[in-house]
Amino acid sequence: MSTQAHKNVYQKNFSLIAAFLVMISITLVVALVIAQRFTETYVKNEFASRKLDVLEQTLKPYNDFFQNRIPEITSYQGFLDSASAANYARSVFTDYPFVKNIRYDEIAISSKSEERTPGNAMNISVKSVYEYQPQNNGGVVGRRLPRNADEDDFSRIAKKLNYYIVVADTSRVPNQEEIYSTFYDVKPSKISYLNIPRRQEIKDYRMLQKGGRASAYYKQNMMTFMLDVYTIKLRNTHPELYENVSIQPVVYDPISADNGEMRTEVAFPGAFSDYKLYFKSAPNHLDDEINRRFMPIAGIVLLIYVFLVVIGFLIYRNLNVNLKLFKLQYDFINNFTHEFKTPVSVIKIAGSNLRGDGELSERQRKHYGKILDEEADKLNELMNKLLSFTQIENRSIKLNKEEINLENFVQKYINTFSIKYPDFKLDYKVEGIHHFYTDPVLLGSIFQNMIENAYKYSNPGQKELFIEISYEKRNIVISFTDKGIGIPKDELNNIFKKFYRIENQYNQNGSVGLGLAFCKELANFMSGDLQVKSKVNEGSEFIVTLPYEN
């Protein structure tokens, strides 16, 4: 009944742990699936949004050219000539390879009627036009063009300048919006720029518009930059997302192929507005990035899972230890009760017979007295063993050492047990040592338990024990070798546990499981150790090692 109860408790505990493991395993799978899908969605969203980073880095040289290098023309204040314009063009070609050629227009503003140009209210005209192209050796080649070579670009800039002079606020410098709308003219693959006049010059130009200062003459410089978008260096700052980045016309639309390829695009601004950056990646390319980002998340989830499994294992181990402890205590109470019950019953029977009305012969009286004495000794021995075990565990006793003669010491126990068990074959050998300084009572307890166990756990006809004492490496080694039933290999680590009993036919009549545990504690208390070697059905060898002291 009790065994079945133990099994039921164990099954319930195991079921609880199994349910816990199943629950966290399902949670792990769900968490991994959610994390993988979240990572996949996040990477795809980045594929659609990170293209702006690539565009920004790719256009960095162009933006620097547009915002910083082109406005340098204003610093010449309209006094550029063909030579200085060539030097400026050379620096631009060196720093910005996407500029394929530059045109320089020398513009005159005056009130002379012979220089009037249709549509120019204040006589804005082109005096000369030069074109500059880069050479492979880093130089620049220039040539003069007809005055009407830039007529369209010049006309647009002239109209903007005329309008700006009319509306300009000469009390301040022009803001960026006014600069971009008046002095820049941005067309596909082409940028024209007119140097910004000073405030006094704007006032003078306004007077010219009104017909004043007839003899005035002013110079302006206009440069037109021809750009080649395909010479811009692509800077793919996110190769983990974009397998291929290319420049395509804005109208480019490839034939769709159902291969799962991811694509996106972003248009260039300004002079490159006819073109776009075109991005594409094969499915396995994005899958690699998804897996790369997913692995740390999966690792963290697995660590949490392992942590929970360890907690579950610790809970299970605790329950298992508690169950074993409960079983040991249960068996101890049963066995201890049985050990007490037998002598108590015998004592009761003998006492009843002594108290009986019938007269007892001298022989019967002595017999019952012997029985009472033997059973009382058994009870006393059991109580002393428990008390001694507790004292040794708590280190509440002291060693009382004295010198002993080992041969006499062993012979005494052999004589005692030969009388007690006539069918017990006992022999010994003492080699290399004769005297030993130790506690004879504690050592005697080890001998008594070892000899009792050797007799108890041997089959009839094989009850033999050989005791060998030797001196090895400043230690006394005492070996107890029997030909008993042996100990299973998987039980060798358990036999020295308090209250632990191996289930076999020799333990059916009661055993509290203290003998070997008591011997182990005694050996440790005496600064030694107790080891065992055993084979089932062949016998066991218990080896006690104690430090030698003179």
Side-chain angles (χ1 to χ4, degrees), residues 6 11 130 152-153 193-194 247 321 486:
H6 296 162
Q11 289 172 353
Y130 294 88
D152 292 340
D153 299 326
Y193 178 82
L194 179 71
I247 298 173
V321 169

Side-chain angles (χ1 to χ4, degrees), residues 445-456:
S445 295
I446 294 177
F447 268 77
Q448 185 170 351
N449 279 279
M450 290 290 107
I451 297 173
E452 284 280 3
N453 279 353
Y455 182 82
K456 180 178 179 180

Side-chain angles (χ1 to χ4, degrees), residues 323-373:
L323 178 66
K324 289 182 178 179
L325 182 59
F326 169 76
K327 187 176 184 300
L328 287 175
Q329 291 174 341
Y330 179 85
D331 290 342
F332 168 72
I333 292 172
N334 276 348
N335 297 327
F336 201 73
T337 302
H338 180 80
E339 288 291 308
F340 268 90
K341 186 176 180 180
T342 301
V344 168
S345 298
V346 174
I347 290 172
K348 186 175 179 62
I349 293 172
S352 297
N353 291 334
L354 288 173
R355 292 197 314 268
D357 294 334
E359 292 185 3
L360 298 177
S361 65
E362 183 66 20
R363 181 172 175 277
Q364 288 176 324
R365 186 180 60 79
K366 289 182 178 181
H367 174 68
Y368 289 133
K370 181 182 177 183
I371 291 175
L372 291 174
D373 189 54

